[in-house]
Amino acid sequence: MKNVFAAFTSLCMLQFTLAVVQPQQTQAYSQTQAVSATPLRVVVLPFENLTRQDQDAWLSQSFAESLTMGLTQVKALQIIERSQIDKLLKEQQFSQSAFADPQSAPTLGKMLGANVVAVGSFQKMGEQLQANVRFVDVETGKIDNQRIAQVEGAFSQIFKLQKDLAQTMVQQLDVKTSPAEVSQVNAAMTTTSSTEAHRLYIEGLTYLRYEGKVNLEQAEKHFEAALAYDPKYAEAYAGLARLHLRFASLENSHLTTSPDPQNTSQNHERLAEENIRKAMALKPRLSEVYLAAGGLHKLRGEMDEALKMTRAALQLNPQSEEAINVYLNIRLIQTQFQVSVDELLKEFKALGVNPEDPWLKFNLSAASLFESFDPINSQGNARREWSKKLLLEAQRDLPQYPGIPLVLAGIALEEGDRTAALAYTEQVIRLSDNYPYNLVSAARLLLGLNQKEKALQLLEATEIRFPENRQLKITKAMLLYDSPRRAEAKALFQDLRKTAPEDPFVPFNQGLSAMVYEKDYPAAIAYFKTAKQLYSPQKINFSENFINSMLSTAYLNTHNYREAIPLFEQQLKDPIFRRTAYEGLALSYSRLERHAEALQTYQDYLALYSDMAAQESKQRQLKIYHLRYALAQQPQNAALLNDLAQHLQMQSRFDEALEYYEKALSLAPQEPVIAFNLGSLFLELEQPEKAVPLLEKAVQLRPNYPNAWTNLGLAYQKQGNAQAAEAALKKAKAFKEL
């Protein structure tokens, strides 16, 4: 069935590819547009409901959604998607009321990199509907009173009114359009002829934007109700496909526990596929359905097909930030984060994505950073510089977005440039006056710069204005943990556990504090296990493997290797944690004397990462696993024990080395090399009283042993026996000259 689905989606893709072929005149116009000025970046905010009637609230999203969908077809405009707006609202903790406030428009626009913010309003009086759009110049922060788009008419003609409003907006924005683009705008805004179906669809989309199973269930109910009014509503089928993919992802992550057989991951995948098929059959040029198809293939691990479908989504809508991010994610997974950023940029250009899009630069810089901090990557420094260049270019178009100096501060801190890190951190603070999330991040950066007092002052000043901000309280507790106010930190964590018992971030950070500052690994394990039980992607904005990584580290420190192994195995599936997981897994197997598995795991690790295999330290560790495996077959082999002890000594693992040297010497007491090695270890450990008899034994067993005479002379010196030291060193020199 999966192959049939792939064939079906490919056929639909072929249909839209053929449909793209335009008359020569239209192609010539497109080429002219391509070389024209940089597209005007516009964001359309949800409209204000002037009458405040609850039954009309859906129209706020309807206008914004329809206009965004239509105006995306105009090449001279770059319309910022709702997903990007939602991301900013969540990240910067804007309230939804910011949409209706013209005073917030310039700030929102600057953070989104827009040139113009379209601020709309509507009022429905009886069966009449009026809508207005005003344009805020982001640079000046002022409303352009000379440019107003307005429509008025019967509510029953809402779809025509929205199309007329789109055309008027294009005129008022003074951008050129071709007849083909006008037609494409109208086509994109033609989704259904049923007002009631459209209302239900818009309300379903609103639920889909929020996290959690309850919201997904409400979205499903609304999309299905919309289809009852209009069974040919392709967008509603696409919405159903997207929510079933979300359900399937939740099931795959074991985040839902419903025993209902209809609620399994496989069933949600099947329903997603059914709805994708229906949407594609109705509208083979609908970008979001190809994005959903890509998501389904990705969920099934079919990365090549996932990439093909996401590429199709981008070809249909090169402005889609969501499609850009999904494409980037697939390519990174597909290549295990080894793809060149230059290659990615070339691919995006070929797909019609604007290479000057600041958000594209911001996302690509993240991919470049992943490459640059690879400890062995020969291009690391060049990549890091390239990433900084992208970020600074993005900052020119997103001057008010604090996320960019936040990343730049992190880079500077990683590079050891504390002056630059502090400057960027102060820039974050200036740009984030009203955004506690960023101020908390800035405090963490200050903590990394060892400016604890300044970090604490920032947090406490922010706390006065945002007393209920949980991230702020968590960060404050962590900061106090590493201070004489540790009791206050523990009390704060305890209070957070009471007020936010379902938030996994609280026990996770308490576990980090206990592990890092107290070395209390049993307590850390308990906290991490609680965080793991509470975890879901809706509650915490990072991978579960962050918890697994910390929990497995705590298990290693308590020698609980059996518990650590399944956690490392889970981390192997995640490219971010895979390298450290291989090392932790091999170590755990070795400690449990499962030496064949330890050796195989480490060999797999070095085979997968050739850059690591080139490191001398990694080859030495590989040799240790080989020796342990060999000793499991020949436990009384003194030569193997001696070799293992030597490699452990080179890793400064002196206690282990001592154990193996002593065992080797007990098995081969007349072997001068073993006596020499054990004596040399005691010499390195500043224990000459133990080194001397062993080194004396080595030269007795092999009188012409220059290295043993040298170390014996050094050991005598440390004991203050100058005469014996001089004699030993003379013999060493004499034997070396032979």
Side-chain angles (χ1 to χ4, degrees):
M1 287 297 293
K2 291 179 182 178
N3 291 335
V4 173
F5 174 65
F8 172 79
T9 52
S10 295
L11 178 61
C12 290
M13 201 167 76
L14 176 62
Q15 289 177 342
F16 94 65
T17 302
L18 293 173
V20 166
V21 178
Q22 301 289 337
Q24 184 62 42
Q25 182 181 356
T26 304
Q27 290 180 353
Y29 185 89
S30 300
Q31 290 163 6
T32 302
Q33 285 290 102
V35 297
S36 64
T38 302
L40 187 70
R41 288 177 60 84
V42 179
V43 58
V44 182
L45 299 181
F47 280 33
E48 182 182 5
N49 179 3
L50 296 176
T51 60
R52 303 290 190 272
Q53 296 296 315
D54 289 343
Q55 67 268 25
D56 300 328
W58 66 275
L59 288 168
S60 175
Q61 301 294 340
S62 171
F63 275 103
E65 192 74 31
S66 297
L67 290 169
T68 296
M69 197 181 305
L71 295 175
T72 299
Q73 306 302 313
V74 179
K75 292 184 176 63
L77 298 176
Q78 186 162 353
I79 306 300
I80 296 167
E81 282 191 323
R82 179 58 194 265
S83 61
Q84 199 71 17
I85 301 171
D86 289 339
K87 176 186 174 185
L88 186 70
L89 290 177
K90 184 177 180 181
E91 190 178 277
Q92 308 303 326
Q93 298 187 356
F94 274 107
S95 67
Q96 294 287 330
S97 62
F99 285 148
D101 181 9
Q103 301 302 316
S104 300
T107 302
L108 276 167
K110 285 178 180 178
M111 286 193 171
L112 289 163
N115 306 115
V116 175
V117 179
V119 180
S121 63
F122 72 90
Q123 54 182 342
K124 181 174 177 289
M125 304 293 290
E127 291 305 310
Q128 288 297 112
L129 179 66
Q130 184 185 74
N132 301 279
V133 174
R134 294 173 295 167
F135 302 98
V136 179
D137 185 312
V138 170
E139 188 174 351
T140 65
K142 296 180 180 179
I143 294 174
D144 188 344
N145 293 317
Q146 302 300 312
R147 300 176 189 268
I148 299 175
Q150 185 178 73
V151 292
E152 184 174 0
F155 175 70
S156 60
Q157 298 296 308
I158 181 173
F159 302 127
K160 181 181 182 303
L161 292 173
Q162 288 180 342
K163 290 175 187 176
D164 290 346
L165 189 58
Q167 298 299 338
T168 307
M169 287 176 67
V170 170
Q171 293 168 10
Q172 292 297 321
L173 288 168
D174 198 23
V175 294
K176 295 180 179 180
T177 56
S178 69
E181 285 178 314
V182 173
S183 177
Q184 288 166 4
V185 169
N186 287 331
M189 297 178 73
T190 303
T191 58
T192 180
S193 59
S194 168
T195 305
E196 190 61 14
H198 181 61
R199 177 185 70 80
L200 289 161
Y201 168 73
I202 290 296
E203 290 178 348
L205 269 188
T206 302
Y207 282 114
L208 194 59
R209 288 194 176 104
Y210 295 105
E211 305 289 357
K213 185 181 176 185
V214 173
N215 287 314
L216 288 178
E217 289 170 343
Q218 284 295 323
E220 182 178 19
K221 187 184 298 182
H222 280 75
F223 289 145
E224 288 180 343
L227 288 165
Y229 280 96
D230 182 358
K232 295 185 177 182
Y233 201 164
E235 285 78 5
Y237 285 119
L240 281 171
R242 289 168 63 191
L243 74 85
H244 283 300
L245 285 174
R246 293 258 293 274
F247 267 129
S249 294
L250 290 174
E251 290 292 332
N252 282 344
S253 302
H254 307 292
L255 300 178
T256 57
T257 56
S258 171
D260 184 357
Q262 298 299 309
N263 205 29
T264 63
S265 174
Q266 292 80 2
N267 190 55
H268 284 300
E269 284 185 32
R270 178 183 61 79
L271 290 169
E273 182 176 325
E274 285 180 6
N275 284 290
I276 288 168
R277 286 174 178 270
K278 290 174 182 177
M280 279 189 175
L282 288 165
K283 209 175 233 187
R285 287 178 52 77
L286 186 61
S287 174
E288 52 260 46
V289 76
Y290 287 94
L291 198 54
L296 180 56
H297 285 298
K298 181 170 177 279
L299 191 65
R300 290 172 171 172
E302 301 160 356
M303 291 300 171
D304 289 343
E305 287 296 322
L307 189 68
K308 187 197 298 184
M309 291 298 110
T310 308
R311 186 182 288 121
L314 270 175
Q315 286 172 326
L316 287 164
N317 182 8
Q319 296 187 20
S320 172
E321 295 288 345
E322 186 178 0
I324 289 170
N325 290 333
V326 172
Y327 184 94
L328 179 60
N329 180 256
I330 291 172
R331 289 292 283 127
L332 292 175
I333 292 173
Q334 198 179 43
T335 61
Q336 297 182 6
F337 286 76
Q338 301 303 307
V339 63
S340 159
V341 179
D342 298 313
E343 187 178 341
L344 284 170
L345 189 58
K346 189 184 298 182
E347 290 174 19
F348 280 124
K349 285 181 180 178
L351 290 168
V353 177
N354 176 15
E356 297 304 314
D357 180 356
W359 289 106
L360 175 63
K361 291 179 179 179
F362 183 70
N363 290 329
L364 282 174
S365 71
S368 182
L369 278 177
F370 192 93
E371 293 179 48
S372 72
F373 287 120
D374 183 333
I376 298 303
N377 190 334
S378 61
Q379 298 296 315
N381 290 334
R383 282 293 171 207
R384 194 151 50 248
E385 290 304 313
W386 196 81
S387 182
K388 286 192 285 188
K389 177 175 176 289
L390 281 178
L391 287 167
L392 292 170
E393 287 178 5
Q395 195 174 39
R396 285 202 296 267
D397 291 319
L398 301 169
Q400 300 299 311
Y401 180 54
I404 294 175
L406 201 60
V407 177
L408 287 167
I411 295 173
L413 191 60
E414 183 74 21
E415 292 178 333
D417 188 346
R418 302 174 69 82
T419 302
L422 182 59
Y424 283 126
T425 301
E426 289 172 347
Q427 192 176 22
V428 173
I429 295 169
R430 285 196 303 274
L431 293 172
S432 305
D433 185 53
N434 292 311
Y435 313 121
Y437 175 90
N438 293 326
L439 294 171
V440 169
S441 298
R444 293 189 178 217
L445 284 167
L446 289 170
L447 192 58
L449 289 164
N450 293 323
Q451 298 201 15
K452 295 180 184 178
E453 286 302 317
K454 193 171 182 178
L456 186 58
Q457 289 171 8
L458 176 61
L459 288 173
E460 290 181 336
T462 307
E463 189 176 23
I464 295 170
R465 300 166 58 203
F466 304 97
E468 302 304 317
N469 187 276
R470 198 181 306 155
Q471 290 296 321
L472 189 153
K473 290 178 182 292
I474 290 171
T475 304
K476 181 181 177 182
M478 290 188 72
L479 197 153
L480 293 176
Y481 221 100
D482 186 29
S483 77
R485 297 166 63 182
R486 184 169 292 174
E488 188 179 339
K490 290 185 175 182
L492 187 50
F493 270 126
Q494 187 175 2
D495 182 60
L496 284 163
R497 294 286 297 276
K498 289 178 182 177
T499 56
E502 298 300 314
D503 185 352
F505 207 62
V506 176
F508 175 74
N509 281 279
Q510 191 166 9
L512 276 177
S513 300
M515 185 165 74
V516 173
Y517 300 124
E518 290 186 301
K519 310 299 181 188
D520 188 346
Y521 298 109
I525 287 169
Y527 290 129
F528 292 142
K529 288 173 76 172
T530 300
K532 193 169 170 62
Q533 290 167 356
L534 294 172
Y535 174 84
S536 80
Q538 288 74 37
K539 294 177 182 175
I540 194 166
N541 62 350
F542 58 68
S543 164
E544 185 180 8
N545 279 320
F546 277 98
I547 303 174
N548 292 336
S549 176
M550 294 299 102
L551 181 54
S552 56
T553 300
Y555 278 139
L556 289 184
N557 280 282
T558 54
H559 312 298
N560 196 339
Y561 304 110
R562 295 186 195 282
E563 295 290 345
I565 284 173
L567 295 171
F568 284 127
E569 289 174 338
Q570 190 172 342
Q571 292 169 64
L572 286 180
K573 301 172 186 176
D574 190 329
I576 295 175
F577 298 93
R578 187 175 292 142
R579 295 190 181 206
T580 54
Y582 267 117
E583 295 197 352
L585 186 58
L587 174 63
S588 299
Y589 283 142
S590 181
R591 292 292 192 236
L592 293 172
E593 298 187 358
R594 293 162 61 176
H595 298 299
E597 291 166 282
L599 177 58
Q600 186 61 58
T601 298
Y602 208 77
Q603 285 176 328
D604 291 345
Y605 167 45
L606 297 186
L608 189 60
Y609 296 105
S610 57
D611 54 344
M612 288 291 167
Q615 287 189 25
E616 184 181 345
S617 62
K618 303 302 180 187
Q619 287 299 321
R620 188 177 298 129
Q621 184 60 51
L622 178 62
K623 180 68 173 178
I624 288 173
Y625 286 127
H626 271 293
L627 288 166
R628 289 191 188 279
Y629 175 69
L631 276 168
Q633 319 304 314
Q634 305 175 60
Q636 302 302 308
N637 189 313
L640 290 175
L641 289 164
N642 178 70
D643 286 352
L644 178 56
Q646 280 186 294
H647 281 84
L648 291 169
Q649 183 178 349
M650 284 187 280
Q651 290 187 342
S652 300
R653 294 159 66 177
F654 300 123
D655 289 343
E656 292 177 80
L658 181 62
E659 176 188 347
Y660 286 106
Y661 278 139
E662 288 177 340
K663 186 175 180 181
L665 192 60
S666 70
L667 291 168
Q670 300 305 308
E671 175 53 59
V673 172
I674 300 175
F676 165 73
N677 286 337
L678 181 54
S680 299
L681 173 60
F682 281 125
L683 182 63
E684 186 175 353
L685 294 173
E686 300 291 333
Q687 297 180 38
E689 70 284 357
K690 292 182 179 180
V692 165
L694 287 161
L695 294 167
E696 287 177 340
K697 180 177 182 178
V699 296
Q700 287 169 2
L701 292 169
R702 185 188 293 176
N704 60 344
Y705 200 163
N707 289 345
W709 283 110
T710 297
N711 282 5
L712 180 58
L714 295 174
Y716 283 144
Q717 281 182 346
K718 287 183 180 293
Q719 286 186 318
N721 190 341
Q723 186 176 355
E726 183 180 357
L729 292 171
K730 281 183 179 179
K731 287 190 176 183
K733 183 179 180 182
F735 285 124
K736 284 179 181 177
E737 290 174 351
L738 290 178

